[in-house]
Amino acid sequence: MALHQGTNGDDDSAERSRLSLNPFYGVADPVAGMESAPPTHRLPDGPTPSMTAYQLVHDELMLDGNSRLNLATFVTTWMEPQAGVLMGECRDKNMIDKDEYPRTAELERRCVSMLADLWHAPDPSAAVGCSTTGSSEACMLAGMALKRRWMKRNADRYPASARPNLVMGVNVQVCWEKFCNFWEVEARLVPMEGNRFHLDPKAAVELCDENTIGVVGVLGSTFDGSYEPIAELCAELDALQERTGLDVPVHVDGASGAMVAPFLDEDLVWDFRLPRVSSINTSGHKYGLVYPGVGWALWRSPECLPEELVFRVNYLGGDMPTFALNFSRPGAQVVAQYYTFLRLGRDGYRAVQQTARDVATALARRIGAMDEFRLLTHGDQLPVFAFTTADHITAFDVFDVSRRLRERGWLVPAYSFPANRQDLSVLRVVCRNGFSADLADLLLRDLEQLLPELREQPGPLGKDEAAATAFHH
């Protein structure tokens, strides 16, 4: 996405400014107060009445999509009112001021401990971790730790002759591409092949060498909702170490699946039970069920997080250890995460995630039964599934379906897959807490109603190549 730039498109004509304010839809007195709206692309000369400013912003935001109907995003779109109250009470607290807000800092430590226990850390009390603004920052921190550990092991070769590399599937979230770019690490990507839409352990190991800082396994691909085989990946790396002596750690990007698998797939071994897994991240604001933005990064033990990466700052009267890419941020989301952990517990999370999976699998089954579509995944791992048009459909494509659903308020992304499956374009549905069976019925009904018109098209209407990419959020 392009960076925001200034614009000269502001229409400051007196008539337009006057008509932007409805005298009977703002302040109580229809003939008092402001006579024209403030400019929108430069600072106003003076203040604006609070109700007027609110109404101007509120009215413009009505043109946004309805977040509850956004089936593209993994991000939480509903929380209980009590969570909202707590977040409002904490929005003025700066998380970085741990000495000033010790109880907020304590809640962060408790969340780390709860996640360490949930993910079977050998000693949850010894595991280290931190909150972040989301999984993207958490991935960056994990990648930094992997690179620094590799640098220390290869101090005689780096940076003179050795260039570090990171092995991962081509389906990884875009933050990993950013990490490799920003921190000068070669990205070695395992392409998709046939009906395999994520990393293949054997292919990943073939890309490893003495300069590999780690391998990223994704528990819940954003492309199709499937889990990557973390245990099989670790077994292949164990065999590599036996053959060559190369000891390559694994980071699990559990942005979504790390808050699903512990409750619904308890027998699936993917976490710190595997000795080769050195770190895990997740998004509290995805299936952690918290509003954006909060993420979590955890390391198996202090040895996995180089001490020199942890800053100890004497700030506002206290010694403050911190590991982050940013500094100031609100404590509200961390408090909301702790509230949700207390509110739901293991059984509550299990019930919420099972409902999301049940809705996903039922909706996938019904769409798969339609003659026009073919399922790629079934929503039985992440509550997410992908589907495409059937081979015999020539009148329309997935981009036409996405465009027509948007006309009815539904945001269902259509995108093309990466190498080596650029030939495949799909629709993807993310089922979150709040996307009920009733909403699924409405989506299916709208899909059925638009199909007759799509069948009458002479052919696909074409797509915007720039927009035909995967949704990574």
Side-chain angles (χ1 to χ4, degrees):
M1 186 190 316
L3 295 175
H4 290 293
Q5 297 177 331
T7 176
N8 294 320
D10 190 23
D11 181 0
D12 285 335
S13 67
E15 181 68 3
R16 184 264 182 195
S17 295
R18 183 183 69 81
L19 295 176
S20 292
L21 293 179
N22 185 330
F24 200 50
Y25 192 56
V27 293
D29 185 348
V31 296
M34 293 187 67
E35 296 180 352
S36 63
T40 57
H41 291 86
R42 62 179 176 83
L43 281 174
D45 295 330
T48 302
S50 58
M51 185 59 197
T52 302
Y54 166 81
Q55 201 64 55
L56 288 170
V57 177
H58 171 83
D59 287 356
E60 188 162 347
L61 290 175
M62 288 194 302
L63 296 177
D64 273 345
N66 185 326
S67 64
R68 291 284 300 282
L69 302 183
N70 183 358
L71 303 183
T73 184
F74 287 79
V75 172
T76 295
T77 56
W78 182 88
M79 290 189 75
E80 291 178 315
Q82 292 84 350
V85 171
L86 278 173
M87 294 180 76
E89 293 172 352
C90 298
R91 60 190 170 200
D92 60 341
K93 295 182 180 180
N94 190 353
M95 266 298 301
I96 207 66
D97 300 340
K98 300 182 187 299
D99 183 61
E100 302 294 310
Y101 305 115
R103 300 322 300 170
T104 303
E106 171 61 20
L107 298 190
E108 180 186 28
R109 283 192 288 267
R110 292 180 189 176
C111 288
V112 167
S113 179
M114 289 177 175
L115 289 171
D117 178 66
L118 184 68
W119 296 339
H120 300 96
D123 181 0
S125 64
V128 292
C130 60
S131 66
T132 64
T133 54
S135 265
S136 292
E137 183 188 3
C139 291
M140 298 278 183
L141 298 180
M144 289 168 58
L146 289 174
K147 183 180 179 182
R148 185 59 60 92
R149 290 171 61 195
W150 174 87
M151 288 168 55
K152 292 172 69 174
R153 294 196 305 269
N154 295 274
D156 58 328
R157 300 189 305 116
Y158 178 81
S161 60
R163 184 189 180 195
N165 66 74
L166 182 67
V167 176
M168 49 197 167
V170 72
N171 57 298
V172 291
Q173 209 262 5
V174 69
C175 68
W176 288 107
E177 300 174 34
K178 290 182 179 180
F179 166 76
C180 290
N181 186 7
F182 295 169
W183 274 270
E184 298 182 330
V185 173
E186 176 192 358
R188 294 188 174 179
L189 302 176
V190 178
M192 296 180 178
E193 296 290 349
N195 291 324
R196 174 181 58 76
F197 305 121
H198 55 228
L199 176 143
D200 173 68
K202 291 184 181 295
V205 169
E206 289 174 0
L207 296 177
C208 294
D209 58 24
E210 68 275 8
N211 295 329
T212 302
I213 65 174
V215 179
V216 176
V218 180
L219 197 72
S221 171
T222 59
F223 279 88
D224 63 355
S226 62
Y227 294 160
E228 291 190 334
I230 307 298
E232 185 180 342
L233 171 64
C234 290
E236 291 290 339
L237 290 170
D238 290 343
L240 176 69
Q241 184 174 8
E242 291 178 6
R243 295 193 307 270
T244 66
L246 293 177
D247 185 7
V248 180
V250 168
H251 172 79
V252 178
D253 183 349
S256 294
M259 292 305 296
V260 174
F263 307 109
L264 302 187
D265 308 294
E266 296 181 71
D267 295 332
L268 180 68
V269 178
W270 62 273
D271 53 16
F272 290 128
R273 285 171 287 184
L274 298 166
R276 195 163 292 278
V277 172
S278 64
S279 51
I280 302 171
N281 71 273
T282 197
S283 289
H285 61 227
K286 292 181 180 174
Y287 287 99
L289 306 180
V290 174
Y291 286 139
V294 60
W296 300 93
L298 269 70
W299 288 264
R300 164 183 294 276
S301 65
E303 291 73 30
C304 293
L305 177 60
E307 175 62 25
E308 63 268 24
L309 292 178
V310 180
F311 283 80
R312 300 187 180 278
V313 184
N314 189 334
Y315 185 68
L316 294 182
D319 179 68
M320 180 189 64
T322 179
F323 184 35
L325 296 179
N326 56 25
F327 202 66
S328 296
R329 60 187 172 91
Q333 283 80 5
V334 168
V335 170
Q337 184 74 83
Y338 184 67
Y339 164 85
T340 307
F341 283 168
L342 285 187
R343 173 75 174 89
L344 293 177
R346 288 178 181 257
D347 289 344
Y349 264 98
R350 185 175 296 110
V352 171
Q353 313 299 39
Q354 186 64 60
T355 298
R357 180 179 283 180
D358 290 346
V359 170
T361 54
L363 180 58
R365 186 166 54 250
R366 295 169 71 184
I367 291 177
M370 300 171 72
D371 185 57
E372 291 82 3
F373 300 112
R374 174 173 62 89
L375 287 177
L376 275 68
T377 49
H378 302 268
D380 54 350
Q381 294 183 334
L382 286 189
V384 175
F385 64 94
F387 62 103
T388 188
T389 50
D391 293 339
H392 66 276
I393 296 298
T394 59
F396 61 90
D397 59 18
V398 295
F399 301 96
D400 293 326
V401 176
S402 177
R403 187 162 42 241
R404 294 301 306 275
L405 284 172
R406 183 180 288 266
E407 295 173 0
R408 296 169 182 250
W410 299 102
L411 303 178
V412 180
Y415 51 88
S416 300
F417 273 18
N420 289 331
R421 288 307 313 268
Q422 295 97 326
D423 60 303
L424 180 61
S425 298
V426 305
L427 294 147
R428 188 197 67 201
V429 173
V430 177
C431 297
R432 305 180 307 278
N433 181 41
F435 183 67
S436 63
D438 287 342
L439 285 175
D441 287 342
L442 292 174
L443 171 65
L444 193 68
R445 185 182 307 167
D446 283 343
L447 183 59
E448 291 171 338
Q449 288 178 352
L450 62 84
L451 283 174
E453 295 181 20
L454 288 173
R455 295 191 198 102
E456 295 300 318
Q457 291 184 177
L461 299 181
K463 64 179 184 291
D464 178 0
E465 293 290 345
T469 57
F471 281 65
H472 290 286
H473 51 277

